[in-house]
Amino acid sequence: MSTWTLSPALGWPAGCAIATAMAVCAVAGIVIHLRTHGSSDETVGSCIRRTLICLLVALAALTPSTVATTTSKAVNATDIVIAVDTTSSMAVKDAAYGDSGTISRLDAATRVVHDLTKAYPAASFSALRFGASASLDVPLTPDTLAIDNWADSLSVEPTSASSGSSLDTPLDKLLLTLKDIRQRHTDDTIVLVLISDGEQTSTTTRRTYSSLRRYVTDALVMGTGSAAGGNIPADGSDDGAGETWVTDPATGQPGVSKLDKDTLDTIADELGGTAIMLDAGHTVTNALPAASKQWRTGTTAKTRQRATPVVWPIAIALCTLLAWELGAWIGLSRRLL
């Protein structure tokens, strides 16, 4: 059900100023007519007509509008599928993102996600995490706030649950997700963003990402970490003096996890995309593909209110009164000649 409201097209300050000025003119016109009645050629009809003109201009400035609720939203035909590595090595604090400060690799991944939602505010997003297994946490949605909240909630999996990281863990889930998006939105621009340190500790041979290539328009493989690497915090460790590290069984010493640029470059090549190693000077904003120029209307669970200005009746009445005023002025001018 639609309701009525005032929604000044020029904004409340300008709208109120114009409406106030016109209301003052209307009152002043009536006062002047009463005071000069009998000594002026202004008729009662002329006074009423001019008062109505002022009041209609005041009402138009305040812009009467109908308010209707809707669940439809115009969505850009760009779909961003984000896959974030959450293996224990992503807790290593050797990453940088846009500045010289050192943060964990997962924190850098979180910042990437936030930059993506800012860069594509009208796009749709799907979010997936992978470690020992892959999980599609957020199906395709235009709700960027849900994606930001998802990114903020990311945490690395416990080292006790890890059995060696494998970079092809998300492959099957990504294949199903991308295929479904492509079938539902044939003409959409689909961008896959894979964020990982590239570390492969599993003894099994990694499967190729080439099977995804037919479903994506572009791909970004984001590497987080450093070539020097760092120690992996053990479960429950903190930044204090009691911090413990994951031990390398081969040496008995704290294991060192390093960014594997070559592997990430290879995955990017398999996808036909671009590999970017994140650091102080390189962020996701440096290589964002262009958004689609197409739009579609979708339905969301979030109810929105839309105000539609209704000024055409005011415009018709105002034009009629102005034409009447012009005709009266011309008639009076001829009589005075």
Side-chain angles (χ1 to χ4, degrees), residues 109-132:
T110 299
R111 294 189 185 184
V112 169
V113 176
H114 289 320
D115 280 350
L116 285 170
T117 57
K118 290 177 183 177
Y120 300 101
S124 297
F125 290 84
S126 182
L128 177 151
R129 74 175 78 195
F130 65 95

Side-chain angles (χ1 to χ4, degrees), residues 3 7 16 20 24 59 67 74 89 120 126 146 152 159 175 196 205 210 216 220 224 252 283 289 302 324:
T3 58
S7 180
C16 289
T20 301
V24 170
L59 185 59
V67 178
S89 62
Y120 300 101
S126 182
D152 291 332
T159 53
L175 182 61
S196 174
T205 302
S210 300
V216 299
L220 296 176
T224 177
T283 65
K302 184 177 181 180
W324 186 6

Side-chain angles (χ1 to χ4, degrees), residues 17-29:
I18 295 173
T20 301
M22 290 296 101
V24 170
C25 289
V27 173

